[in-house]
Amino acid sequence: MKISDAQTKTIPNQQVSIKLGKKIKPTRILLHIVLIFGAFLMVAPFLWTISSSLKDMSQIFLVPPKWLPDPVTFQNYPNSLTAMPFGKAYFNSFYITGLVVFLNILTCSMAAYAFAKIRFYGSNVLFILFLATMMIPKQVTMVPLYLIMDKLGWIDTHLAIIVPAGLFNAFGVFLLRQFIRGIPNELEEAAVLDGANPLRIYWSVILPLIRPALAAFGIFSFMGIWNGFLEPLIYLSTPEKFTVPLLLNTFKGLYFTDWSLMMAGTTISIIPVIVVYIIAQKQIIEGIALTGSKG
Amino acid sequence: MGKRQNLWGYTFLAPQLIGLLAFSLIPVLFTLALSFMKWDGFGAKEFIGLANYIDQFTEPDFWKALVNTAYYTILVIPFSIGISLAVAIALNKIKGKDFYRLFYFMPVVTSSVSIGVIWMWILNGDFGILNQVLANIGIDGPMWLTDTKWVMPSIAILSIWWGLGHNMVIFLAGLQGISRSYYEAADIDGANKWQQFRHITLPLLSPTTFFITIMAIISSFQVFDQAFVMTSGGPAKSSYTFVYHIYEAAFVDFKMGVSSAAAMILFVIILIFTLIQFKMSQRWVHYEDQ
């Protein structure tokens, strides 16, 4: 075993990095140039969208294209806001997403607590059932769900989106269970000795301790629902009830020749999610990394 | 396991358990049942056995959708994995990692519809920015979204760009899990950077790579939004994907049984990939224990 022999001669990490840091390698500079170019390719479509939204139609088809609008016009924004009920769609998306995130955090953490800390009849079988449903693509249940919503009278209402998403999230149950399992039993036992029942333990011991996990999961849930397209597409038919992505899609159908207006509409639709991303990027990225490491 | 424990357990589980039954298990069984029936969604249901499945295998649209989806998957997977791995390795030990990560991840959080609209504008054959950039270097770009040959590659380019940050972040986490001591040992043994990459990074990262590959295949088989928004499955059904087929059979043609049969076939395909991942992940656990 070559590696383990050599391991005994390991140089401390710090020394190595100090050594590397002192040399300015040309390959490093080249790497930065490539990475900056790559980063530009990742944001260029957004910059181009915003730039186009500030142009009038005469500038939008210029060859060669101009990155900076001249003159800058803001008229596309009020125009797209009056052409379509974007304000209403914002409101719909926000409250649908808010309710789903709240329901998800509450009900998933409850189920996760039950699976992690309470020994009850059938818990293993039920947990496996939860895990198994994670591999059912949502398109498989599309038709029956539509029929169920129809029976409940929820077609063309937001309930058809809120209730299934809010009350069922196997990934959330699994993720939070992993966190709750990490909490030492001693804490719970101490609470039991003080006369606390499971409801009390869940609320006063478990929930405060898993706050970071709840935050990460909440942001995931936010992204998933805010960006959701298939469910609104299937269930909603009244434009006043549309969510932002669904309204943008309709907007596209009606105004696809007026590109400056389209780009203003698209910019309006991406702003909230980019703002949330910039505020919460650390949690989002760490959360994604976590889903990968569970492998 | 006292009665009290059972009561508390089920009380806490109740909301999600109701959700599981009402919005997942019962609908899945319902889909299975519908796949053996002929039904237009309104009139009477008629049991027809395996006819929907047999019908699917002789249906040109089904094969078109399956071939398109497989083609898309083959286009996306190698580039998506290769590029995100390269970026992750580049970022792993570089200054300003967080700064770069901020930009590379940005598309991931944006909705499929916004992404679709933006790329319709970029890929427009006549005045899209991509063809204008290509013209500058003397390339006559194709009609990306209206040419039957180019439409799937176009959607693939968009998807690679869209998902790059996601896979990159998972690769980065995997890379950071590899102990530095292996590289230090290899340094002492005189291994060069390529040998280190080939004999340390790649093997130790293989569980992550496998996880990403399987997850990417599973999500590739569910591609729908981009094709729906940008091309409506066209031109000439050349971007008509498997989920598009399931959607159209149910909500455009009102053939609920046909749609359900197609959905069950998708489920089986995804089940196979999930089982492969499960089996293989057991092997890694064994490998890491050694």
Side-chain angles (χ1 to χ4, degrees), chain B residues 16-278:
Chain B
Q16 282 286 319
L17 192 59
I18 291 167
L20 175 86
L21 292 173
F23 306 122
S24 186
L25 288 183
I26 292 171
V28 167
L29 295 175
F30 204 168
T31 303
L32 182 65
L34 275 179
S35 73
F36 301 115
M37 292 173 195
K38 186 179 175 169
W39 191 39
D40 63 1
F42 308 101
K45 300 184 189 78
E46 186 194 337
F47 182 81
I48 52 168
L50 287 172
N52 284 328
Y53 290 92
I54 296 162
D55 176 67
Q56 281 298 283
F57 290 115
T58 54
E59 164 76 47
D61 269 5
F62 170 84
W63 288 109
K64 184 106 196 151
L66 191 61
V67 168
N68 284 342
T69 308
Y71 178 46
Y72 167 84
T73 305
I74 291 166
L75 285 173
V76 168
I77 301 298
F79 289 103
S80 173
I81 308 270
I83 299 170
S84 49
L85 177 60
V87 177
I89 287 169
L91 288 187
N92 190 28
K93 282 184 228 155
I94 207 162
K95 263 194 190 145
K97 187 193 309 170
D98 293 353
F99 170 79
Y100 287 118
R101 218 173 45 177
L102 175 73
F103 295 112
Y104 280 88
F105 197 80
M106 199 174 278
V108 179
V109 302
T110 316
S111 84
S112 55
V113 179
S114 313
I115 297 285
V117 171
I118 293 173
W119 280 81
M120 276 173 83
W121 175 223
I122 293 172
L123 293 170
N124 189 294
D126 296 318
F127 48 78
I129 185 101
L130 182 60
N131 277 359
Q132 296 198 23
V133 170
L134 288 176
N136 281 340
I137 52 172
I139 297 170
D140 195 12
M143 302 297 283
W144 297 97
L145 295 173
T146 50
D147 183 329
T148 52
K149 277 202 297 293
W150 280 101
V151 64
M152 266 343 245
S154 298
I155 296 174
I157 291 171
L158 173 163
S159 300
I160 293 163
W161 174 84
W162 192 21
L164 195 153
H166 184 269
N167 293 340
M168 179 206 81
V169 162
I170 297 176
F171 269 132
L172 258 179
L175 285 170
Q176 266 150 20
I178 301 176
S179 164
R180 281 205 62 119
S181 58
Y182 291 118
Y183 295 101
E184 285 153 11
D187 264 334
I188 291 165
D189 287 348
N192 65 28
K193 285 272 179 258
W194 168 250
Q195 287 169 324
Q196 291 184 17
F197 173 72
R198 178 72 191 75
H199 297 289
I200 300 173
T201 311
L202 273 190
L204 290 178
L205 203 60
S206 61
T208 310
T209 313
F210 198 79
F211 172 76
I212 289 178
T213 310
I214 297 294
M215 295 314 272
I217 292 172
I218 291 173
S219 70
S220 278
F221 264 86
Q222 299 178 61
V223 60
F224 169 74
D225 295 11
Q226 299 96 306
F228 186 85
V229 171
M230 296 207 300
T231 60
S232 308
K237 298 222 162 176
S238 49
S239 62
Y240 185 75
T241 68
F242 206 92
V243 173
Y244 212 121
H245 178 62
I246 298 173
Y247 170 84
E248 196 164 271
F251 297 102
V252 179
D253 301 336
F254 300 105
K255 293 177 183 167
M256 299 300 172
V258 168
S259 175
S260 299
M264 289 314 294
I265 296 168
L266 176 69
F267 180 45
V268 170
I269 293 171
I270 287 178
L271 183 69
I272 291 168
F273 282 110
T274 309
L275 289 177
I276 292 174
Q277 198 215 330
F278 186 69

Side-chain angles (χ1 to χ4, degrees), chain A residues 143-215:
Chain A
V143 170
L145 272 180
Y146 186 88
L147 301 173
I148 291 171
M149 295 307 154
D150 192 35
K151 276 269 184 300
L152 291 167
W154 289 355
I155 299 296
D156 203 26
T157 74
H158 294 147
L159 285 172
I161 300 168
I162 296 167
V163 177
L167 288 193
F168 179 60
N169 189 327
F171 169 73
V173 173
F174 174 73
L175 184 80
L176 296 178
R177 172 187 173 265
Q178 299 301 90
F179 276 97
I180 297 173
R181 268 167 62 109
I183 297 171
N185 283 334
E186 286 77 21
L187 280 175
E188 235 186 303
E189 282 154 16
V192 172
L193 284 180
D194 290 343
N197 62 25
L199 186 63
R200 188 72 206 246
I201 294 169
Y202 162 77
W203 192 256
S204 317
V205 179
I206 305 287
L207 279 191
L209 286 172
I210 58 162
R211 219 176 272 164
L214 292 177

Side-chain angles (χ1 to χ4, degrees), chain A residues 74-89:
Chain A
F74 291 99
Q75 198 49 43
N76 296 316
Y77 285 90
N79 284 354
S80 57
L81 286 170
T82 48
M84 279 275 180
F86 269 108
K88 193 87 181 94

Side-chain angles (χ1 to χ4, degrees), chain A residues 1 39 43 54 57 66 72 78-79 85 107 112 129-130 141 146 157 190 193 205-206 214 249 256 265-266 288:
Chain A
M1 282 298 280
V43 287
L54 300 171
M57 279 293 269
K66 276 196 358 203
V72 172
N79 284 354
T107 65
L129 217 51
F130 267 89
T141 54
Y146 186 88
T157 74
L193 284 180
V205 179
I206 305 287
L214 292 177
N249 189 54
F256 81 100
T266 309
I288 296 272

